[in-house]
């Protein structure tokens, strides 16, 4: 800005030469500066107002303002431009976008929602929400004041699952806040009256049990729970995708048809411990320390027991296979519970079977009511989940079908022991049609040669797959002279017959000069 002396020099030079350019040359300035100084001087020392210039969109300004008002500032210039063209606008699209942007800014200035930063109090609010990616549902909760985060995975977002997740969150935190703020979840919403959400009866009973007040956001108001919306996005990006819990290309979640929730929740638990132990950028403090030092003391206490979150009890009777049916699938229980009635509960991808004292159930056969009998992972319809310990050991590799003798010869032959039963089973498998008539002949051979000799012959016949009575008779006739097969790599031992032997001196040859001691040479042996 020019000083007063410089302005007076410019005015004097202009009066002398009568032109802006000449005065500018004298005062060593620009013609524009001379013009501004002269105009201000002529206006009494006040900067003269610029005359407004007309715009080519003035004819449609009211049209744009009306449409912006009607759509609450959401309509775009692209959608308004055809209407403006029809109303006579002939300018460029770029210039029209300036008009719409200015109209939206004016509308927002006059229609501010009055939103202000949240002021949280210790122990006051817990904010919850669900997210899903590649079929894996993630439950997120944040203690608003301390920023402690809780994340777990599930296969659905039903009311039962949500309430179980909320109960686990309370137990993990170590207390209950005064208010639980949720989105308008369909599983927790019974009705909407005057834009206020009426919670379901199950949610009301759950809230009464834990002594907190359920609260819901307004419709189309995600900003009111942005604190947990950020956690959902953070869990998706850093936990689900960062830890390779899902494959975004194939949609695979780690299991055939079902995600591996045990591994996913173990990773989520470790991830929560990690993020709660580092400094939070918003509060410049460590959430875990803030909870332990300040907020935990003002949280409500946990009840001694969890409430029944499921619906009516699901009762099943254990069948003769020591299994119960649920969802067209079979789940095993200990054999001591056969014939009793049990309760079936499901949570996430797990199924729990508990004993119960319903009428008609033999509770005395097992432990008292409410005792967990078995836990399984849910399987698909038509499948079976079997625990070998419920049946006293692992399943045999081949079906066991023991012989059941009926006639006198069959009973006598099977009573000989395992060797006879193995021979009988092998002969049946080989299709020996004369086996039934030859049992008497085999028993007669046992009476002639002895029971032990018959058992040895039957074992040898089984090893060489000889199933006729004549084969057993031949083995008995051979006796000990028959070779016994040995495993590969072992020496073959055969019993040789005993023969008389003589000393090697009996075969000695003597000459004339060599006379054995005490011997007499009778002639030349050569």
């Amino acid at each position: 800005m020019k000083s007063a002396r410089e302005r007076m020099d410019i005015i004097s030079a202009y009066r002398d030469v009568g032109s802006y350019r000449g005065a500018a040359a004298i005062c060593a300035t620009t013609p524009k500066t001379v013009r501004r100084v002269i105009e201000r001087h002529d206006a009494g020392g006040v900067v003269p107002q610029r005359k407004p210039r007309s715009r080519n969109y003035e004819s449609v300004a009211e049209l744009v303002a009306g449409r912006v008002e009607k759509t609450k500032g959401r309509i775009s210039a692209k959608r308004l431009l055809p209407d403006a063209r029809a109303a006579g606008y002939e300018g460029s699209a770029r210039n029209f976008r300036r008009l719409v942007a200015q109209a939206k800014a004016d509308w927002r200035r006059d229609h501010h929602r009055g939103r202000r930063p949240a002021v949280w109090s210790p122990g006051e609010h817990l904010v919850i929400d669900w997210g899903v990616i590649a079929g894996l549902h993630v439950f997120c909760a944040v203690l608003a004041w301390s920023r402690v985060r809780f994340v777990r995975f599930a296969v659905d977002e039903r009311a039962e699952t949500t309430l179980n997740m909320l109960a686990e969150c309370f137990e993990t935190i170590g207390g209950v806040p005064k208010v639980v703020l949720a989105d308008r979840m369909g599983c927790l919403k019974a009705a909407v009256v005057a834009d206020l959400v009426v919670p379901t009866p199950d949610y009301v009973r759950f809230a009464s049990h834990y002594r907190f007040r359920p609260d819901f956001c307004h419709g189309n108001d995600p900003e009111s729970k942005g604190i947990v919306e950020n956690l959902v996005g953070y869990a998706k990006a850093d936990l689900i995708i960062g830890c390779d819990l899902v494959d975004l290309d194939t949609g695979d979640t780690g299991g055939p048809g079902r995600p591996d929730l045990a591994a996913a929740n173990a990773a989520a638990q470790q991830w929560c411990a990690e993020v709660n132990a580092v400094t939070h950028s918003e509060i410049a403090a460590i959430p875990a320390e803030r909870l332990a030092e300040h907020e935990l003391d003002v949280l409500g206490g946990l009840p001694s027991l969890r409430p029944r979150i499921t619906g009516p009890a699901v009762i099943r009777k254990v069948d003769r296979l020591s299994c119960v049916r649920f969802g067209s699938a079979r789940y095993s229980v200990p054999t001591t519970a056969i014939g009793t009635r049990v309760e079936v509960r499901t949570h996430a991808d797990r199924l729990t079977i508990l004993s119960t004292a319903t009428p008609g159930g033999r509770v005395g056969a097992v432990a008292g009511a409410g005792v967990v009998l078995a836990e399984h992972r849910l399987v698909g319809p038509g499948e079976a989940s079997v625990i070998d310990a419920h049946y006293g050991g692992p399943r045999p590799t081949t079906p066991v079908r023991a012989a059941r003798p009926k006639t006198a010869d069959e009973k006598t032959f099977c009573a000989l022991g395992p060797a006879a039963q193995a021979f009988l089973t092998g002969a049946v498998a080989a299709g020996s049609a004369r086996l039934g008539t030859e049992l008497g002949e085999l028993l007669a051979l046992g009476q002639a040669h002895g029971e032990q000799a018959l058992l040895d012959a039957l074992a040898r016949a089984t090893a060489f797959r000889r199933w006729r009575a004549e084969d057993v008779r031949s083995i008995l006739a051979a006796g000990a002279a028959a070779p016994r097969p040995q495993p590969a790599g072992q020496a073959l031992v055969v019993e040789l017959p005993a023969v008389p032997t003589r000393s090697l001196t009996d075969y000695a040859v003597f000459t004339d000069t060599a006379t054995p001691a005490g011997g007499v040479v009778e002639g030349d042996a050569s």
Side-chain angles (χ1 to χ4, degrees), residues 126-132 136-143 150-154 156-157 161-162 165-166 169 180-188 203 215-217 221-233 235-236:
L126 177 75
V127 191
I128 63 174
D129 196 12
W130 280 99
V132 61
L136 189 62
H137 299 265
V138 55
F139 175 84
C140 299
V142 183
L143 269 177
F150 174 86
V151 175
R152 291 294 185 272
F153 296 103
D156 54 52
E157 299 180 11
T161 306
T162 303
M165 290 292 182
L166 199 53
C169 177
V180 174
L181 178 62
D183 198 357
R184 297 191 167 197
M185 300 179 183
C187 59
L188 304 179
Y203 190 29
D215 194 10
F216 295 88
C217 300
D221 188 24
E223 293 87 355
S224 58
K225 61 180 182 64
I227 188 173
V228 73
E229 293 281 359
N230 292 333
L231 175 59
V232 172
K236 288 180 179 180

Side-chain angles (χ1 to χ4, degrees), residues 316-378:
R316 293 289 188 271
K317 185 177 180 179
V318 183
D319 58 18
R320 297 177 62 182
L321 296 177
S322 190
C323 294
V324 296
R325 288 181 64 86
F326 182 82
S328 298
R330 291 184 181 273
Y331 301 90
S332 67
V333 297
T335 55
T336 55
I338 293 178
T340 64
R341 295 186 179 276
V342 295
E343 180 182 354
V344 179
R345 298 181 184 179
T346 58
H347 173 60
D349 65 336
R350 306 296 298 178
L351 180 138
T352 306
I353 304 174
L354 302 93
S355 60
T356 181
T358 56
R362 298 184 299 102
V363 180
V366 293
V371 176
V372 176
L373 298 179
E375 291 185 353
H376 297 267
R377 185 177 180 183
L378 288 173

Side-chain angles (χ1 to χ4, degrees), residues 309-521:
I309 299 175
T310 59
V314 179
I315 304 299
R316 293 289 188 271
K317 185 177 180 179
V318 183
D319 58 18
R320 297 177 62 182
L321 296 177
S322 190
C323 294
V324 296
R325 288 181 64 86
F326 182 82
S328 298
R330 291 184 181 273
Y331 301 90
S332 67
V333 297
T335 55
T336 55
I338 293 178
T340 64
R341 295 186 179 276
V342 295
E343 180 182 354
V344 179
R345 298 181 184 179
T346 58
H347 173 60
D349 65 336
R350 306 296 298 178
L351 180 138
T352 306
I353 304 174
L354 302 93
S355 60
T356 181
T358 56
R362 298 184 299 102
V363 180
V366 293
V371 176
V372 176
L373 298 179
E375 291 185 353
H376 297 267
R377 185 177 180 183
L378 288 173
V379 296
E383 300 181 6
S385 176
V386 178
I387 299 177
D388 293 335
H390 293 164
Y391 298 90
R395 182 190 297 272
T397 56
T398 57
V400 178
R401 297 182 177 90
R404 297 179 180 178
K406 295 183 179 180
T407 66
D409 289 345
E410 291 174 355
K411 293 179 180 178
T412 304
F413 188 81
C414 291
L416 294 177
Q421 295 179 8
F423 176 84
L424 185 64
T425 303
V428 170
S432 179
R434 300 179 56 188
L435 180 63
T437 60
E438 291 183 347
L439 288 181
E441 186 177 351
L442 292 173
L443 292 175
L445 291 174
Q447 293 177 358
H449 294 272
E451 181 178 334
Q452 185 60 43
L454 177 61
L455 292 177
D456 294 340
L458 291 176
R460 185 176 181 83
T462 303
F464 286 94
R465 302 182 63 80
R466 311 293 295 188
W467 311 116
R468 300 178 60 185
E470 297 177 359
D471 301 327
V472 178
R473 184 183 295 108
S474 300
I475 294 173
L476 289 171
R484 296 183 179 275
Q486 298 293 333
Q490 301 294 329
L492 179 62
V493 179
V494 180
E495 296 182 6
L496 300 176
V499 296
T501 59
R502 293 189 299 175
S503 174
L504 293 177
T505 58
D506 296 338
Y507 302 95
V509 176
F510 303 102
T511 60
D512 295 339
T513 58
T515 302
V520 178
V521 178

